Amino acid sequence: MDRTAPAIEITGLHKSYGGFQALRGIDLTVARGERVVVCGPSGSGKSTMIRCINQLEEHDSGTIRVLGTVLDGRLASLDEIRREVGMVFQQFNLFPHMTVLENCTLAPMLVRRLPRAEAEATAMRFLEKVRIPEQAQKYPAQLSGGQQQRVAIARALCMEPQIMLFDEPTSALDPEMIAEVLDVMVTLAQEGMTMVCVTHEMGFARKVADRVIFMDRGEIIEAAPPGQFFSAPQNDRTRQFLSQVLGH
Amino acid sequence: MTQTTPTRAVPRRRGLWRRLRHDYAATPAAALVTLVCGTILVAIAWTLIDWAILRATFDPAAGREACRAAGGACWPVIAARWRVILFGLYPYDEQWRAALACLVVAAVILLSCLPRMWGLGRLAAIWATGTALFYLLMRGGLFGLTPVNEQQWGGLPLTLFVFVATAVIGMPMAIVLALMRRSSLPGIAIPAGLLIDAIRSLPLLSILFTCAIVLPLVLPDFLIGEKLYRVVFGAALFFAAYQAEIIRGGFQAIPRGQEEAAKALGLGWRQRLVRILLPQAFRLALPATINQFVIAFMETALIVVVGFMDLLASANTAFRTGEWTFAHVEVYAFIAAIYFAFVFGLSRYGAFLEARMDAGQQRS
């Protein structure tokens, strides 16, 4: 694994489902420690793009290089990448038959081969970080949505990944729970984690993003630092989108 | 859930009588239905109690005439014939071995049901010991025990053996078939689907016949084996075809995000299957699985058509001798009680498993 390579380098990424072109030629480089927020209307390909980075979706053409390793369909490179890339989903996707602690220790023990005691210590450290250590022995269904999503973040962090992907992490939450999840994500960003977040939380983008990317119909339309992105968008479609999300 | 539960139409404190009236006789029509159904139930219960207890003959020494005179159930038939019912054709002097073998099976099943035994090593040890003991007792031939051929096995030990072997062989087959049918490779999914559908389109009877009678004609000698094992294999295949579909249903009910989350954490195919998918699929498939086990237990009685004396067949012979031909209802009641004990235990255990797996998992 190349220590100097950018976190993520995507060139000419194409992906279609049947006749529908979800991604048509994405080029994106994310530097180590960079925070990128991806926004755009639904169906614009943002989730597909982020899911290609850890190969939950296989791309049709183009290259994806994560931490210097090319995702070429070989299982070895895939395993290597997935260990280093954590992901948080819109629907949390906690394992309902395991306690919070077991959710957090499973992958470190199976994939990183940590001894149980060490895995549990790591898990408690990250559960404290997401401010939920007292729920360690509960099952996911006993927690609120916001708590579940914070556990999901802790679960991903327990693998001590170098990159975190967030796929609309607050979209399934009740409004009063969005803040507690965003707070955790802000802390994470401030500690220098490389993050790619698909989100419509523009306040979050303004606060932590190094770059905001706007996607529409499978293409990156605009990419700019938040100051410029929000105050002086270059493209009509960006302006229209911003007026829709910010306009009321 | 923070909502207050709606207040009951009739609060408890207003007394049992008021509540009964509210539940069973709220309107004249409801009262009438209650009255009619209640009368029928009481009449049936009374007839049963009268036959089975009040006018029944219990004296083990009583014969046909004494029973006739009393007019009720003739329980001495059980005292006289229980060894035929329970052990069938198994040599009379060796039946203590068959009884011990039943206890071994029961002990193995009970031990496997205890959560503290759920480890691969422990279960393997229990089952290996249990199987070895069962064989030693039933087949004999070692330690001075007279050999007893599988053809002479009968009654309860045979029924238990066929059921347990069917389930233990059929379950892994079902998991493999379900996984094959879910495969994204058509070369694996299609043959599995065809096999499952083909077996499900055949009656169990025809499969048992094929295994018992046709297979020896087509298989090379070294593959034929004892008829009992061919029949058990057929029953296991039949069980597996249905159980595979039940497990596949469980798999399909798991949200797609579960496997994605496991993938994203770097878990490999086998880890995802064993740690994430199978436990959830089994939980979702549990009620239907218990159902399938119950059916498999009942279907063991079909092996009589290929010449085995299972519990039901042994019971049939028990009252076929001159003296007791009139007492078939009593014999059937006796084996019904045995079947009931096993199946009721099975379904209660299913309920226990459901409660255990749901612990802490209810939506709040």
Side-chain angles (χ1 to χ4, degrees), chain A residues 132 134-135 142-152 180:
Chain A
I132 206 163
E134 70 283 359
Q135 312 282 7
Q142 294 169 307
L143 307 182
S144 72
Q147 291 173 320
Q148 289 191 51
Q149 192 61 301
R150 285 188 280 148
V151 171
E180 65 189 55

Side-chain angles (χ1 to χ4, degrees), chain A residues 51 54 56 82 85 87 89 93-98 106-107 110-111 113 139 141-143 148 155-156 159, chain B residues 256-268 271-272 275-277 279-280 359-364:
Chain A
R51 286 159 60 88
N54 64 354
L56 291 183
R82 282 183 177 159
V85 180
M87 189 169 205
F89 299 85
N93 296 345
L94 293 176
F95 305 129
H97 57 300
M98 299 179 185
L106 181 75
L110 289 182
V111 182
R113 311 227 162 267
Y139 284 91
Q142 294 169 307
L143 307 182
Q148 289 191 51
R155 177 177 71 174
M159 284 294 284
Chain B
R256 216 168 53 120
Q258 288 291 309
E259 180 154 31
E260 290 183 347
K263 274 185 187 170
L265 285 166
L267 269 58
Q271 294 167 334
R272 296 199 297 270
R275 300 303 191 104
I276 307 301
L277 297 180
Q280 296 190 60
Q361 291 192 37
Q362 294 92 351
R363 302 273 151 209
S364 52

Side-chain angles (χ1 to χ4, degrees), chain A residues 78-95:
Chain A
L78 185 59
D79 287 347
E80 198 179 340
I81 290 315
R82 282 183 177 159
R83 270 198 293 265
E84 301 300 332
V85 180
M87 189 169 205
V88 175
F89 299 85
Q90 180 177 356
Q91 297 297 338
F92 327 141
N93 296 345
L94 293 176
F95 305 129

Side-chain angles (χ1 to χ4, degrees), chain B residues 59-91:
Chain B
D59 177 10
R64 178 189 182 123
E65 299 313 318
C67 286
R68 275 284 157 82
C74 185
W75 298 121
V77 65
I78 308 297
R81 308 295 288 158
W82 66 273
R83 290 180 66 151
V84 178
I85 299 175
L86 286 182
F87 305 122
L89 294 176
Y90 204 83

